[in-house]
């Protein structure tokens, strides 16, 4: 009797398990027989609205074949994707940031794209800027297509330049000429600065990289294996010393954090407290819609090593365990292709070369600085060392934060210590990975 009861229970449990697999997890096919694809993104706000419209349009065009379900993950995105990967429940198509693309590719989480692209005569990667596309190329294999990016440019207030009798920048300037221009745009009342020539990258190391490069400095070796001799090099020390002088030295062209606190978080370029602003494209639409703000953009200044720029990048990849890779590729080339990129152009630069002309950007002075800078974008540290955030950045950030504070400190000593600490962190990360 006992054996019969156990047998019945076993059958019931098996039935429940089958029901749960079929009914509780993500479904591969919906009630209309369409293949269901899951697509994750961290983009919120207006970008999420645009993406939702784009997904709805794709679904309408592929009715009866496939349906894409958009999954919005607003925080801890990479951590949550890794958790789903570990449980083999990750979305078919994932948005990915530039800090994670190499890690995801090397660990086999993304499907190589060239075998899919090579069989598709309707699509070519030649449409993309090569240096932007190559962020998703790891060990000569393409794993992602770019969603969008921004390089860095100089926003400048034309009215403030006119008032000071200063010529507009034409993109042929150096960092020293940038500083001299900014000094002419400073304005004092009763001996106190009330208008500054520039606001720059603050403590954001990624945006600081072109300045380091201009002085022959860097944050790590080209292969990402060393920090000593790079993070603490003479070029890095010289560039950071120069940068600090913009706040506290004789240059004094930028508002300090203490100055900015007086304005309670206001955008100092938008409110015309600074004449130039060095940043990405994210603010451009806001500035264009600000009444009375007369501005344009210029390419970043160059250094002794020539022109240099950096970027913030996002891309899309196909989960290597997706059961529907061909369908996922169909959506991928749509969302990263010309129609998808144009639909998302209000919050980042399009990675497709023809898009700027189609959008009218190539004749618009608001976009000139960004378009002129694209060809000079160089690989950022995370592409050579996917532990950079937890090694180099972790060690260097406290030193960069000190640059923005009034207290004197030994920059050379701090950078030497940071470089050694970064190498220790890297050794630990590699040891953990080998376990």
């Amino acid at each position: 009797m006992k054996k019969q009861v156990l047998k019945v229970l076993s059958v019931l449990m098996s039935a429940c398990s089958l029901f749960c697999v079929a009914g509780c997890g993500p479904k591969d096919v919906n009630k209309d027989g369409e293949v269901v694809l899951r697509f994750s993104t961290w983009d919120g706000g207006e970008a999420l609205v645009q993406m939702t419209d784009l997904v709805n349009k794709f679904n309408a065009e592929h009715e009866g074949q496939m349906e894409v379900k958009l999954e919005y993950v607003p925080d801890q995105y990479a951590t949550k994707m890794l958790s789903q990967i570990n449980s083999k429940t990750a979305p078919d198509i994932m948005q990915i940031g530039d800090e994670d693309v190499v890690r995801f590719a090397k660990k086999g989480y993304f499907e190589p794209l060239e075998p899919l692209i090579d069989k598709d005569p309707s699509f070519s990667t030649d449409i993309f800027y090569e240096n932007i596309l190559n962020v998703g190329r790891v060990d000569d294999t393409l794993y992602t297509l770019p969603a969008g990016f921004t390089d860095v440019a100089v926003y400048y207030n034309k009215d403030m330049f006119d008032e000071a009798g200063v010529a507009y920048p034409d993109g042929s300037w150096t960092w020293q000429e940038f500083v001299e221009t900014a000094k002419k745009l400073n304005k004092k009342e009763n001996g106190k600065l009330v208008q500054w020539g520039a606001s720059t990258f603050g403590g954001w190391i990624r945006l600081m990289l072109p300045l380091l490069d201009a002085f022959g400095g860097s944050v790590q070796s080209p292969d990402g294996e060393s920090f000593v001799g790079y993070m603490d090099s003479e070029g890095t020390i010289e560039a950071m010393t120069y940068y600090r002088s913009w706040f506290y030295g004789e240059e004094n062209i930028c508002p300090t954090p203490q100055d900015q606190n007086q304005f309670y978080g206001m955008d100092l370029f938008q409110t015309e407290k600074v004449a130039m602003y060095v940043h990405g494209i994210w603010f451009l639409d806001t500035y264009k819609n600000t009444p009375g703000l007369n501005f344009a953009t210029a390419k970043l200044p160059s250094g002794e090593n020539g022109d240099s720029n950096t970027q913030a990048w996002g891309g899309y990849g196909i989960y290597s365990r997706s059961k529907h890779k061909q369908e996922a590729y169909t959506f991928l080339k749509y969302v990263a292709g010309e129609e998808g990129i144009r639909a998302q152009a209000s919050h980042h630069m399009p990675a497709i070369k023809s898009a700027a002309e189609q959008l009218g950007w190539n004749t618009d002075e608001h976009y000139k600085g960004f378009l002129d800078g694209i060809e000079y974008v160089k690989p950022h540290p995370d592409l050579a060392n996917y532990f950079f955030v937890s090694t180099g950045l972790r060690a260097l950030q406290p030193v960069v934060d000190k640059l923005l504070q009034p207290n004197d400190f030994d920059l050379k000593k701090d950078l030497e210590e940071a470089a050694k600490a970064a190498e220790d962190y890297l050794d630990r990360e590699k040891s953990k990975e080998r376990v």
Side-chain angles (χ1 to χ4, degrees), residues 220-227 384-385 423 426 430:
Q220 67 181 14
S221 61
D223 63 4
E225 294 293 322
S226 304
F227 296 96
N385 167 21
E423 295 205 345
L426 184 57
K430 289 181 176 179

Side-chain angles (χ1 to χ4, degrees), residues 128-129 132-133 144-148 313-316 335-336 341 351:
F128 299 104
Y129 295 106
I132 309 304
L133 175 71
T144 67
L145 294 181
W313 176 99
Y316 305 119
V335 73
I341 291 300

